[in-house]
Structures are given as C-alpha cells and as structure tokens.
Amino acid sequence: MSRNSSPWDQLLFQPPLCEGWKQKVEGPAYQLGNCILLLGYMGGSGIFGSIYIFSLLATGYICYALWGWLNACGLDIFIWNMLLVMACVLQLAHLVYRLHKDTFLEEFDLLYKTLCQPLQVPFEVYKEIVKCCEEKVLSLARDQNYAVEGKTPINRLSLLLSGRVRVSQDGQFLHYVFPYQFLDSPEWESLRPSEEGTFQVTLTAETDCSYITWPRRKLYLLLAKDRYVARLFSAFLGYDISEKLYALNDKLFAKFGLRFDIRLPMWWPNVMDSPLHESHYRNALGFPASLPPLVHGSNTLSS
C-alpha cells in the first residue's frame, strides 16, 4: 500500500490491530446504558410504542454520556451522546404533542369505543366525523325541548350521549330515545338534501341530557366527499330507525291483548292497511305526512 494512501484506505485495507485487550470491564454507567438500550429496542409500534422506545433510548444515551465524562474521559463521547439525548427528547416532545392533539373529550372516547370500534372504524375516519360536529358536546336540561312539532326546522342530525328523551305527538307519548341513539334519524332520512321540513313530533328531555349534533349542510358535504363515511352513517341510521320501529311494536296490541311480530308478512300489510296504525307509526317515527304510504300491497317498508 502506498504511503500517500488516504486515511479511509488505511482504515479499510490496513485496519489498526489491538495490541492488547483491557483486563478490566467498563464502569457501571456503560453497562447500565447497554441494558437500557437493549430494552428500548424491544418496544412496539404505534405512538405509545414510540414513546417507550425514545424514552429508554434517551436514558441509555445519558448513561453513555456519563460514562464518557467520568470513566472514558472522552469529550467526543460525551458530546455525541448528549446530541443523541437531545434528538430523543425532541422526538418525545413531538410524540406527546401528537398524542395531546389526538385526545378527545371523554364522551368522544366512549362514543368511539361503543359505536365505531366494534365495526373497526379507522381512528382517522372517526376524527373527521368528530371534526364535522366541531368536537362540541351540547346539553339539554330536564324538561327542555330539543324539537317542537310543526315549528323546529330539520337542519341537523343529533346523537344522544347520556340521559333520556321523550318523543310525543299532540301530547301523546310515543317512545323514548336512549343513549347512543339518534334523536332525529327519521327526520334526516325523510328529506332530500335540497328539501326543507319541520319536526312532526316533540322531543323533550326527561333527565339532564348531553348530545352531539352535526349541522345538516356540513354533514352532507362530508358524506358526499367520503363514501366510507356515507356507508357508515347509512348503516347507523338504518339500524337506529329499525330499533325505533321495533320499540313501537311494544305499544301495539291486538284487540285480544296479543303482541304481534311486525316481521310476519301475514300480519303487517293488514295492520298497516288501517289508517290508524299507519298514522301511529308515521307520527312516532317523525316522517312527514306528505310521504307516500309505508306499505304498498307488500310486507316491506318503502324507503
């Protein structure tokens, strides 16, 4: 090898050999740093896994810096490890900021676990849904009206989080709305995006209630932009309306005191042929009187 070869050539092709191995091991700070780094690299994925990894890495590099300052007496060892500590601390600050940014109110966390998590809805999609309702939880005092029949316009969609709401029409009790049910799903489904309407029922809080609400226009824009969210809301609303419909069956009895199953094709068309029963279901669900009949010679509901 020529004398004028570069240091890199000497390092690669003529590496210096150890003249003798040290007989004593390094100090406890060095050994502890290695153990902490070993545990740190065993962390998992996700934001909490990253916090675990960078926390242990920062601690391990601090041990290395102490070893370089107190035992190895190398200024370069100390400086490099302190730089690595600063990089880990900055990364931790970024992760904590992201975690704080993605944190919702307790009500929204519980809503996700109750409705969306069982359906494996991605959290990023859920954030868009929550953003549409401005991340606000509204309240209804006891005996306060959410909507008044014939007066309140249908300009929003709301979901009850806590409490109980009574639905009535002309002062007659129809059914209750319980937590994690929509307050106005029938009204939402009864109108097209370009149509306007008013509530056909009155909704009154029987207890102190909390709910979230999506403005009609903003929610329509979200549904038009994201097909997945549109299918999700379609499933939620369809299930909610069917639950309300089956709940009404508990109030409907034949003259002999027998409760019928509304799924039976032999019974449903005959009962719904009665103007009294059709108006009962129509008013209870909040559908406008201008809609066509619910049954047209078959045992299925028209959409």
Side-chain angles (χ1 to χ4, degrees), residues 157 182 185 188-189 232-242:
L157 177 66
F182 287 96
S185 53
W188 175 270
E189 288 292 309
L232 189 65
F233 267 85
S234 178
F236 284 152
L237 292 168
Y239 177 79
D240 188 80
I241 292 177
S242 66

Side-chain angles (χ1 to χ4, degrees), residues 149 166 168-174 202:
E149 58 183 289
R166 181 177 67 254
S168 60
Q169 200 267 341
D170 290 334
Q172 180 183 3
F173 169 76
L174 298 176
T202 297

